[in-house]
Amino acid sequence: MKIRYSVLLASALACTALVAGCSSNDDPKDAAPSAGTAAEPKKNITVSIYDRGLVPPAEGTIEDNRWTKWLNQNGPVNVKFMAIPRFESVQKYNTLFASGGAPDLIFEYDSAYRNQLYTQKQLLPLDDLIEQYGTNYKKMIEKYPKLKSVGTKADGKIYELGRVNELNPNHTLFIRADWLKKLNLEVPKTLEDFMKVAKAFSEQDPDGNGKKDTYGIALSFVSGYIMDYAFGAGTSWAVVDGKLEHVWDRVKASYEFRKQLFNAGVVDKDFLADTNGEKSKQDWLSGKLGIYGANGGASDKNLLEAFVKNNPNADYIPIAPPETPFGKFGPVIQNPLQMVAAITSSAKNPEAVMKYYDFLLSDKAVDALRNGIEGEHYAIVDGCPTPVDDAKNKVERVYMTDFQMVLSADPSNKCAGWNIIENPIFTDKTTEAEKNLLNKRAAIAKEAYRLYIDKDRPMGALTHGEHMPALPQELQIIVTNANKAMSDIWAKSVVENSYTSDMALKDVQAAWEKAGGAKVDDFYVKWYDSSKDSAFLTKNMYDFASR
């Protein structure tokens, strides 16, 4: 809860998506030298890599493993990888920048932090580097011109490198379909329906163990974010009657509904302590939770596998967030134009860094990063790369997600992205259990796409958080100073019965004004008025819908 308002104001939600690569030829400048010509020594660069603690001991570390070795052996430079804790990345980067040891190439999903680095002049303009050494990246820009404008900052120069994603669900709201059936309930659609179903799930013993030990709905982490988006308050600013406004009424309403759920006893009373959603996830996986919001859940095979293992006779489906007085909205969807990397201004060999990034977009690198090595990790089945040994891949490729941050999607590629999720390919080694699991995941993915990729039920935000404009440093300080006070006030309004939402709104607005928030409001209003035709807003995202 303490981080929620920060996300609304200026952060990006982290999401892992399955993507396919953008194919192209390698830069001819990197070709092998002709006979009799001495090869130019590889230059040294440093590159960040998220550390999620997923590397099996047999594979080494996230900085030194079979894939870092492959990239160094096959790439145009010598790379020293630097581990960045995934959920403490900002703290780690700040320490590295302060000590003068920041990596040359940083991979970071948090657009607010990248914006901060830009305003601090810690990033290098990339226009000339892309022109000279970005052969593959230039082809991407030619195909998707908006990619250039999204990576361009206020001074008119490119500072960020990105990828193209399929437009797919990111956050997914799940419900126990078997509990609905057992209690003779319909899929909830309105706020009143959600309250009715949540109360039934918490009071009518849906798991049949004779105890009142189930929660109706989760409110922590992604589950809470989905509530904000349901009320059209995903970024706290929205267009009302053609004008951009700070929609305090929507934010208030989202917390008022939380308070109603809390007072009804249908949520975990300690949900505020569940800041990363791990407790609610475990409640879901253990069969003690009826409605749950998951990050990337529609495509998450591991989540489904763990749920089925713990609850073999259970069933869950994705559902739309409730309709609210402000309209019908969807949760966070995948950002189709996502900036993921930047070159730091302290890089000693920026041309080598750009060559490396462009190498990652080459056919050879894309294939290895996405599929592994042919014959070792995959074989071609029905024209598609298909894993040959799941047990081997779970060891050798389980930690590949963040090496794939550069990979772009190709919706026409039947072998990649959501195409392969929604239409799984089976081999003679695929067991019946695995077939059932993959078919279930395909059904979930298709239904989530139908529900959420719908311009008539748009994502409940002005734009994806990653496309909110970069605040000048003095305004970012205002936001930072106001965040804790405001999030604590809203949290108090949910859990303290005598502290009403009206009281909380008054106190939140006072805290915002005291911090200088009016300047931030003014900045966003002026930005929208001048950029509404060129900015990448929610309404523009649906142009990338591929199915």
Side-chain angles (χ1 to χ4, degrees), residues 47 216 431 512:
V47 176
T431 66
W512 181 244

Side-chain angles (χ1 to χ4, degrees), residues 10-87:
S11 73
L13 301 177
C15 48
T16 300
L18 295 175
V19 295
C22 174
S23 299
S24 180
N25 294 324
D26 293 339
D27 188 339
K29 298 182 182 65
D30 295 330
S34 59
T37 303
E40 180 182 348
K42 288 184 176 183
K43 292 184 178 180
N44 301 319
I45 68 170
T46 53
V47 176
S48 72
I49 181 71
Y50 281 141
D51 187 357
R52 301 174 188 260
L54 297 177
V55 183
E59 288 292 288
T61 67
I62 195 64
E63 298 163 298
D64 184 13
N65 53 69
R66 73 178 60 243
W67 302 109
T68 60
K69 290 182 174 69
W70 187 94
L71 290 168
N72 273 300
Q73 290 168 359
N74 292 276
V77 296
N78 294 319
V79 182
K80 177 184 178 182
F81 290 90
M82 301 174 66
I84 305 294
R86 173 62 186 97
F87 297 107

Side-chain angles (χ1 to χ4, degrees), residues 399-472:
Y399 54 94
M400 286 303 296
T401 297
D402 298 309
F403 287 99
Q404 298 170 341
M405 282 179 70
V406 300
L407 301 186
S408 285
D410 178 4
S412 66
N413 185 350
K414 70 171 186 176
C415 303
W418 276 52
N419 287 331
I420 202 69
I421 292 173
E422 295 183 354
N423 302 282
I425 296 174
F426 304 129
T427 70
D428 54 3
K429 294 183 178 180
T430 308
T431 66
E432 284 302 312
E434 184 71 357
K435 288 180 181 179
N436 290 337
L437 185 74
L438 293 176
N439 284 330
K440 175 61 177 176
R441 182 175 69 153
I444 289 173
K446 290 176 181 178
E447 179 63 5
Y449 187 92
R450 185 188 72 81
L451 289 171
Y452 303 148
I453 311 304
D454 181 359
K455 64 182 180 181
D456 294 326
R457 184 189 283 272
M459 181 177 69
L462 175 66
T463 184
H464 195 286
E466 295 175 0
H467 292 298
M468 290 295 283
L471 288 170

Side-chain angles (χ1 to χ4, degrees), residues 268-288:
D268 182 352
K269 293 294 184 181
D270 296 323
F271 80 93
L272 290 175
D274 187 23
T275 55
N276 64 0
E278 190 58 32
K279 172 62 165 54
S280 61
K281 180 179 180 180
Q282 293 309 313
D283 290 337
W284 176 253
L285 293 177
S286 63
K288 296 300 179 182

